[in-house]
Amino acid sequence: MSSRKKLIAGNWKMNKTSADAVALVQEIVAEVGRVTETEIVVCPPFTALECVGKKLEGSTVKLGAQNMHPEASGAYTGEISAGMLRSIFATHVILGHSERRTYFHETDQFINQKVLVALKNQLKPILCVGETLAERESGSTLKVVQTQVEACLEGVSKELATSVVIAYEPVWAIGTGKVATTAQAQEVHAFIRSLLIKLFGDAVAQKIRILYGGSMKPANAPELLAQKDIDGGLIGGAALETRSFVDLVNAAVAAG
Ligand code: PGA
């Protein structure tokens, strides 16, 4: 039993039309819309944020975006600002997902700007970090994760740090069906906790949630969620279906 409330976040990625998104969120709300023991966040694509948000009204499920731009407004074709997300009552935003780092060349410095802007706008960043297979095989996992955590959290105050959520997502486990072993995951989570202690002090670091992400499913979730420093999950594939997402929420509730 941890003092940190577990968090299950669904990253829907580039899936679901608005109509499909509404159908999914209605089922999710019907099943777990009153759960308070675990925090639940759904992150639909931009086009479905507003209509999904409307269906979340009156439930405990929160709304998150999958990305945002650090500028407040202006000539940034195709981008969305923190203020725009706040205006439709989003509370969370995924930042630095490995797909954005890989396909859109996002750097730690750019992600850091977004983290600071999100926090300034009362949006809780879900900051993704994690190593590639080559990095794991060459033994540089902890070094890579340390660089990402430190660079992306540069300038974050102790006061705002408790609003940050970290998601440790080994890139080789995302969408591949290859889940990290509980020992591999816990090792990196404990390491991230030690970095957070150095950055913000023990009291603050003990309040920051560190999620695991990468092929998390109802079958492997209980063991992962039982680890001391695993405070929830960032779920891709298994968040696209009501049954598996609800089962993951229930696993988090059971893990306490
Ligand atoms: P996955 O994705 O659960 O499909 O592996 C996780 C993520 O990319 O956030």
Side-chain angles (χ1 to χ4, degrees), residues 18-244:
S18 297
D20 294 341
V22 164
L24 175 59
V25 80
Q26 278 177 317
E27 289 179 7
I28 290 171
V29 167
E31 296 244 14
V32 291
R34 291 183 186 284
V35 167
T36 53
E37 305 94 313
T38 287
E39 205 171 332
I40 307 167
V41 181
V42 291
C43 305
F46 286 140
T47 46
L49 272 173
E50 192 165 9
C51 57
V52 166
K54 293 217 162 84
K55 298 294 173 195
L56 295 179
E57 281 170 20
S59 83
T60 53
V61 181
K62 295 179 177 137
L63 184 67
Q66 298 173 18
N67 184 29
M68 56 160 242
H69 193 275
E71 293 298 331
S73 63
Y76 299 96
T77 301
E79 294 294 323
I80 303 283
S81 72
M84 291 171 185
L85 295 178
R86 289 286 296 158
S87 76
I88 54 163
F89 308 109
T91 52
H92 292 70
V93 59
I94 298 171
L95 295 176
H97 191 279
S98 68
E99 286 148 19
R100 297 221 51 94
R101 292 174 185 263
T102 305
Y103 304 135
F104 304 98
H105 316 296
E106 292 196 8
T107 62
D108 287 330
Q109 287 64 37
F110 189 48
I111 296 160
N112 175 236
Q113 284 178 41
K114 300 188 196 202
V115 168
L116 296 173
V117 169
L119 289 170
K120 207 167 149 205
N121 285 274
Q122 288 95 45
L123 281 167
K124 294 185 165 73
I126 302 177
L127 169 65
C128 302
V129 298
E131 81 287 2
T132 62
L133 186 57
E135 288 163 344
R136 174 157 287 269
E137 285 175 344
S138 70
S140 49
T141 296
L142 299 185
K143 176 99 211 43
V144 166
V145 168
Q146 174 165 10
T147 302
Q148 291 174 338
V149 168
E150 289 177 350
C152 294
L153 293 181
E154 171 107 44
V156 172
S157 68
K158 274 188 190 176
E159 291 68 36
L160 290 178
T162 49
S163 294
V164 174
V165 176
I166 310 262
Y168 168 58
E169 301 204 304
V171 178
W172 49 272
I174 296 176
T176 57
K178 277 188 211 157
V179 65
T181 65
T182 48
Q184 282 173 329
Q186 169 57 26
E187 183 199 10
V188 180
H189 281 239
F191 176 69
I192 294 173
R193 183 90 53 212
S194 75
L195 294 174
L196 296 174
I197 291 171
K198 268 193 244 152
L199 289 174
F200 304 115
D202 191 58
V204 170
Q206 296 304 335
K207 289 189 187 142
I208 299 177
R209 265 88 56 91
I210 308 174
L211 314 182
Y212 171 79
S215 298
M216 195 163 176
K217 295 191 170 50
N220 56 36
E223 210 185 320
L224 286 162
L225 293 169
Q227 303 303 304
K228 183 169 166 282
D229 291 290
I230 302 186
D231 306 314
L234 180 55
I235 320 295
L240 295 174
E241 304 223 339
T242 308
R243 195 64 261 150
S244 46

